PDB file of all heavy atoms in Angstrom:
ATOM      1  N   VAL A  99      29.181   1.503  11.996  1.00 98.00           N
ATOM      2  CA  VAL A  99      28.334   1.563  10.839  1.00 98.00           C
ATOM      3  C   VAL A  99      29.157   2.208   9.734  1.00 98.00           C
ATOM      4  O   VAL A  99      29.690   3.285   9.878  1.00 98.00           O
ATOM      5  CB  VAL A  99      27.047   2.361  11.141  1.00 98.00           C
ATOM      6  CG1 VAL A  99      26.270   2.680   9.878  1.00 98.00           C
ATOM      7  CG2 VAL A  99      26.115   1.549  12.082  1.00 98.00           C
ATOM      8  N   ALA A 100      29.216   1.488   8.644  1.00 98.00           N
ATOM      9  CA  ALA A 100      30.046   2.011   7.514  1.00 98.00           C
ATOM     10  C   ALA A 100      29.833   1.138   6.286  1.00 98.00           C
ATOM     11  O   ALA A 100      29.493  -0.072   6.432  1.00 98.00           O
ATOM     12  CB  ALA A 100      31.533   2.008   7.831  1.00 98.00           C
ATOM     13  N   ASP A 101      30.042   1.642   5.122  1.00 98.00           N
ATOM     14  CA  ASP A 101      30.190   0.902   3.901  1.00 98.00           C
ATOM     15  C   ASP A 101      29.054  -0.168   3.674  1.00 98.00           C
ATOM     16  O   ASP A 101      28.001   0.005   4.252  1.00 98.00           O
ATOM     17  CB  ASP A 101      31.558   0.209   3.886  1.00 98.00           C
ATOM     18  CG  ASP A 101      32.717   1.196   4.040  1.00 98.00           C
ATOM     19  OD1 ASP A 101      32.644   2.231   3.367  1.00 98.00           O
ATOM     20  OD2 ASP A 101      33.610   0.996   4.812  1.00 98.00           O
ATOM     21  N   SER A 102      29.313  -1.143   2.900  1.00 98.00           N
ATOM     22  CA  SER A 102      28.309  -2.205   2.605  1.00 98.00           C
ATOM     23  C   SER A 102      28.731  -3.422   3.395  1.00 98.00           C
ATOM     24  O   SER A 102      29.820  -3.522   3.919  1.00 98.00           O
ATOM     25  CB  SER A 102      28.250  -2.510   1.145  1.00 98.00           C
ATOM     26  OG  SER A 102      29.519  -3.077   0.765  1.00 98.00           O
ATOM     27  N   THR A 103      27.774  -4.423   3.431  1.00 98.00           N
ATOM     28  CA  THR A 103      28.066  -5.664   4.138  1.00 98.00           C
ATOM     29  C   THR A 103      29.235  -6.332   3.435  1.00 98.00           C
ATOM     30  O   THR A 103      30.111  -6.886   4.118  1.00 98.00           O
ATOM     31  CB  THR A 103      26.800  -6.611   4.084  1.00 98.00           C
ATOM     32  OG1 THR A 103      25.682  -5.856   4.627  1.00 98.00           O
ATOM     33  CG2 THR A 103      26.973  -7.825   4.856  1.00 98.00           C
ATOM     34  N   SER A 104      29.263  -6.348   2.095  1.00 98.00           N
ATOM     35  CA  SER A 104      30.365  -6.929   1.388  1.00 98.00           C
ATOM     36  C   SER A 104      31.708  -6.366   1.827  1.00 98.00           C
ATOM     37  O   SER A 104      32.673  -7.117   2.127  1.00 98.00           O
ATOM     38  CB  SER A 104      30.166  -6.781  -0.122  1.00 98.00           C
ATOM     39  OG  SER A 104      28.934  -7.385  -0.528  1.00 98.00           O
ATOM     40  N   ILE A 105      31.781  -5.039   1.877  1.00 98.00           N
ATOM     41  CA  ILE A 105      33.027  -4.422   2.195  1.00 98.00           C
ATOM     42  C   ILE A 105      33.419  -4.735   3.665  1.00 98.00           C
ATOM     43  O   ILE A 105      34.606  -5.056   3.991  1.00 98.00           O
ATOM     44  CB  ILE A 105      32.986  -2.912   1.916  1.00 98.00           C
ATOM     45  CG1 ILE A 105      32.966  -2.738   0.424  1.00 98.00           C
ATOM     46  CG2 ILE A 105      34.221  -2.178   2.502  1.00 98.00           C
ATOM     47  CD1 ILE A 105      32.755  -1.310   0.021  1.00 98.00           C
ATOM     48  N   ASN A 106      32.450  -4.652   4.550  1.00 98.00           N
ATOM     49  CA  ASN A 106      32.747  -4.999   5.971  1.00 98.00           C
ATOM     50  C   ASN A 106      33.193  -6.449   6.170  1.00 98.00           C
ATOM     51  O   ASN A 106      33.979  -6.764   6.998  1.00 98.00           O
ATOM     52  CB  ASN A 106      31.460  -4.671   6.812  1.00 98.00           C
ATOM     53  CG  ASN A 106      31.291  -3.148   6.938  1.00 98.00           C
ATOM     54  OD1 ASN A 106      32.211  -2.414   6.801  1.00 98.00           O
ATOM     55  ND2 ASN A 106      30.051  -2.769   7.186  1.00 98.00           N
ATOM     56  N   LEU A 107      32.603  -7.314   5.353  1.00 98.00           N
ATOM     57  CA  LEU A 107      32.962  -8.685   5.385  1.00 98.00           C
ATOM     58  C   LEU A 107      34.497  -8.822   5.019  1.00 98.00           C
ATOM     59  O   LEU A 107      35.326  -9.559   5.704  1.00 98.00           O
ATOM     60  CB  LEU A 107      32.210  -9.542   4.364  1.00 98.00           C
ATOM     61  CG  LEU A 107      31.107 -10.414   4.891  1.00 98.00           C
ATOM     62  CD1 LEU A 107      30.256 -10.865   3.718  1.00 98.00           C
ATOM     63  CD2 LEU A 107      31.662 -11.603   5.606  1.00 98.00           C
ATOM     64  N   PHE A 108      34.849  -8.142   4.001  1.00 98.00           N
ATOM     65  CA  PHE A 108      36.284  -8.210   3.556  1.00 98.00           C
ATOM     66  C   PHE A 108      37.154  -7.683   4.649  1.00 98.00           C
ATOM     67  O   PHE A 108      38.157  -8.313   5.007  1.00 98.00           O
ATOM     68  CB  PHE A 108      36.458  -7.373   2.278  1.00 98.00           C
ATOM     69  CG  PHE A 108      37.925  -7.290   1.857  1.00 98.00           C
ATOM     70  CD1 PHE A 108      38.535  -8.396   1.346  1.00 98.00           C
ATOM     71  CD2 PHE A 108      38.643  -6.129   2.089  1.00 98.00           C
ATOM     72  CE1 PHE A 108      39.951  -8.319   0.988  1.00 98.00           C
ATOM     73  CE2 PHE A 108      40.004  -6.010   1.780  1.00 98.00           C
ATOM     74  CZ  PHE A 108      40.647  -7.122   1.271  1.00 98.00           C
ATOM     75  N   LYS A 109      36.793  -6.554   5.294  1.00 98.00           N
ATOM     76  CA  LYS A 109      37.620  -5.983   6.340  1.00 98.00           C
ATOM     77  C   LYS A 109      37.750  -6.940   7.461  1.00 98.00           C
ATOM     78  O   LYS A 109      38.877  -7.154   8.013  1.00 98.00           O
ATOM     79  CB  LYS A 109      36.959  -4.694   6.859  1.00 98.00           C
ATOM     80  CG  LYS A 109      36.903  -3.508   5.940  1.00 98.00           C
ATOM     81  CD  LYS A 109      36.263  -2.348   6.689  1.00 98.00           C
ATOM     82  CE  LYS A 109      35.365  -1.571   5.867  1.00 98.00           C
ATOM     83  NZ  LYS A 109      34.494  -0.673   6.629  1.00 98.00           N
ATOM     84  N   LEU A 110      36.629  -7.566   7.886  1.00 99.00           N
ATOM     85  CA  LEU A 110      36.706  -8.463   9.078  1.00 99.00           C
ATOM     86  C   LEU A 110      37.348  -9.753   8.766  1.00 99.00           C
ATOM     87  O   LEU A 110      37.951 -10.397   9.636  1.00 99.00           O
ATOM     88  CB  LEU A 110      35.313  -8.602   9.722  1.00 99.00           C
ATOM     89  CG  LEU A 110      34.866  -7.332  10.412  1.00 99.00           C
ATOM     90  CD1 LEU A 110      33.539  -7.585  11.143  1.00 99.00           C
ATOM     91  CD2 LEU A 110      35.883  -6.796  11.356  1.00 99.00           C
ATOM     92  N   LEU A 111      37.181 -10.284   7.529  1.00 99.00           N
ATOM     93  CA  LEU A 111      37.888 -11.533   7.155  1.00 99.00           C
ATOM     94  C   LEU A 111      39.390 -11.338   7.223  1.00 99.00           C
ATOM     95  O   LEU A 111      40.104 -12.137   7.849  1.00 99.00           O
ATOM     96  CB  LEU A 111      37.436 -11.978   5.745  1.00 99.00           C
ATOM     97  CG  LEU A 111      36.095 -12.627   5.614  1.00 99.00           C
ATOM     98  CD1 LEU A 111      35.627 -12.669   4.176  1.00 99.00           C
ATOM     99  CD2 LEU A 111      36.164 -14.085   6.173  1.00 99.00           C
ATOM    100  N   VAL A 112      39.869 -10.254   6.667  1.00 98.00           N
ATOM    101  CA  VAL A 112      41.294 -10.032   6.666  1.00 98.00           C
ATOM    102  C   VAL A 112      41.761  -9.741   8.121  1.00 98.00           C
ATOM    103  O   VAL A 112      42.704 -10.291   8.600  1.00 98.00           O
ATOM    104  CB  VAL A 112      41.696  -8.802   5.772  1.00 98.00           C
ATOM    105  CG1 VAL A 112      43.116  -8.441   5.927  1.00 98.00           C
ATOM    106  CG2 VAL A 112      41.298  -9.164   4.317  1.00 98.00           C
TER     107      VAL A 112
END
Side-chain angles (χ1 to χ4, degrees):
V99 168
D101 303 316
S102 65
T103 304
S104 300
I105 291 175
N106 289 336
L107 256 168
F108 174 74
K109 291 182 220 167
L110 290 187
L111 282 163
V112 172

